[in-house]
Amino acid sequence: MEMLSALDATFIYLEAEHSPMAIGGIYVIDASDAPADFCYEAWYSLVESRLHLSGVFRQRLVEVPLDLSFPYWIKDPGFKLDDHLPSINLPEPGGLAELMQTAAAIWGTVLKRDRPLWDITFVSGIDNIPGIAKGSFALITRVHHAVVDGKAGTEMMTALLD
């Protein structure tokens, strides 16, 4: 168990349905050099094989009754990777506007507190974005601000992308 710092606890306390405290990004992955059969299942397996590279992936928040202390991070005993790697197909026509709207919708919701505070949405169907190779995909990341500082964010994405 590790207690959150005062600053990280503040990010938890400030969060509300109308003001999510997650940070995120959109990674467009050029699939032109990827194996021909690379798909969501291959991405899922890749993430699964690299979870051990960062403890952040399995840390879940535990709040102290009556707020007598800052919350703690614990290793989630019920961790399910399926809760963190949704897959969607971009709505037609599958262009940049649809990708941005999809990301905004994802970022506009609060992460569930009963599991580790991150997810990465695998987005297929981005073939109508100019300059993007056919078969490419996007990753929409979302991590609670209390989870990541510069070091933890770099650790997470370095574990997944090479």
Side-chain angles (χ1 to χ4, degrees):
M1 275 192 339
E2 178 185 345
M3 185 188 299
L4 272 71
S5 69
L7 178 61
D8 290 339
T10 300
F11 294 132
I12 295 295
Y13 300 144
L14 289 175
E15 184 171 58
E17 287 296 320
H18 65 278
S19 59
M21 293 299 290
I23 49 180
I26 301 172
Y27 296 81
V28 176
I29 309 298
D30 182 347
S32 60
D33 292 332
D37 60 346
F38 194 84
C39 59
Y40 170 75
E41 289 76 17
W43 162 249
Y44 186 100
S45 294
L46 176 72
V47 173
E48 188 173 43
S49 74
R50 295 182 175 191
L51 287 175
H52 69 281
L53 297 174
S54 175
V56 173
F57 291 119
R58 296 179 189 260
Q59 288 183 332
R60 180 172 62 86
L61 187 70
V62 176
E63 297 187 61
V64 176
L66 305 174
D67 290 328
L68 294 174
S69 170
F70 294 143
Y72 285 82
W73 293 118
I74 65 165
K75 185 174 181 180
D76 185 2
F79 178 79
K80 295 182 186 122
L81 186 55
D82 289 345
D83 292 338
H84 302 278
L85 295 179
S87 175
I88 62 170
N89 194 39
L90 199 61
E92 292 293 330
L96 189 57
E98 289 77 24
L99 181 59
M100 295 300 115
Q101 290 166 354
T102 300
I106 290 169
W107 295 331
T109 60
V110 174
L111 287 157
K112 295 182 181 179
R113 297 257 181 104
D114 62 345
R115 57 188 180 212
L117 299 175
W118 66 273
D119 59 30
I120 302 173
T121 303
F122 184 97
V123 183
S124 55
I126 64 169
D127 291 339
N128 288 325
I129 298 176
I132 302 298
K134 299 294 181 203
S136 295
F137 59 93
L139 302 173
I140 300 174
T141 64
R142 186 168 61 142
V143 182
H144 198 284
H145 208 316
V147 175
V148 293
D149 54 16
K151 180 182 173 193
T154 300
E155 180 182 284
M156 286 180 77
M157 294 317 292
T158 300
L160 299 179
L161 303 173
D162 54 28

